[in-house]
Amino acid sequence: MLEDLYPQAVEAGISSTDFWAMTFDEIMVQVEANKKRHENELKEKAMFDYTQQRLGIYAFNDPKNFPKYEDAYPFLNQLKEEVEQAVSEDEEKKKAMLTDQEIMRQNAMLIQETRKRKSQKTN
């Protein structure tokens, strides 16, 4: 059965080495995922082509009112905000980690000082 499915799976974007290591259910899930990704890429390309044509018409007929980049592609602002938010969250995590490291260093120094005092008292 898998031998019959092999050409179709490779055509759907599954590598031959991955195909033979997968179960039937995994193959079907991967085929559906590849199909969905391809559909999304086509929709994205169609949207960009359509927007480009609209901008071309604007540039030719009414160049004074040519829309700004952000107005033509509003989703890019959303992506930019998401990236900035992710970066700020990452910076917060780094700050928290550095604060935790500093607290651990201070505790380690206090433990060392306590051990030194105990060793001096016993000598």
Side-chain angles (χ1 to χ4, degrees):
M1 181 172 141
L2 288 179
E3 292 82 16
D4 297 333
L5 188 60
Y6 177 70
Q8 296 170 351
V10 171
E11 185 178 323
I14 299 175
S15 71
S16 60
T17 55
D18 290 342
F19 176 82
W20 295 111
M22 299 170 102
T23 65
F24 178 76
D25 290 337
E26 291 172 332
I27 292 169
M28 296 311 294
V29 167
Q30 188 64 51
V31 166
E32 287 299 317
N34 290 353
K35 179 181 172 188
K36 186 71 173 175
R37 184 175 48 237
H38 183 68
E39 288 174 1
N40 288 338
E41 288 172 358
L42 288 176
K43 287 178 185 177
E44 184 179 280
K45 184 178 180 334
M47 184 203 60
F48 279 116
D49 291 347
Y50 178 76
T51 303
Q52 183 180 15
Q53 290 301 317
R54 287 181 58 208
L55 292 174
I57 291 169
Y58 242 111
F60 183 75
N61 293 320
D62 195 8
K64 291 181 182 176
N65 293 323
F66 192 80
K68 293 182 179 180
Y69 182 77
E70 295 84 15
D71 296 334
Y73 298 104
F75 65 92
L76 293 178
N77 286 334
Q78 180 183 0
L79 290 175
K80 183 179 177 182
E81 290 171 5
E82 289 174 2
V83 168
E84 288 173 355
Q85 181 181 2
V87 168
S88 65
E89 288 175 2
D90 190 43
E91 289 174 356
E92 289 176 15
K93 288 178 184 178
K94 286 181 182 178
K95 287 179 184 177
M97 181 184 69
L98 291 174
T99 303
D100 290 345
Q101 286 178 348
E102 184 59 33
I103 291 170
M104 288 180 67
R105 267 192 220 106
Q106 290 174 354
N107 288 340
M109 288 174 54
L110 291 172
I111 290 170
Q112 286 177 349
E113 289 174 9
T114 304
R115 286 181 180 164
K116 284 180 186 177
R117 281 191 303 237
K118 283 185 179 181
S119 67
Q120 289 175 352
K121 286 182 182 178
T122 57
N123 292 336

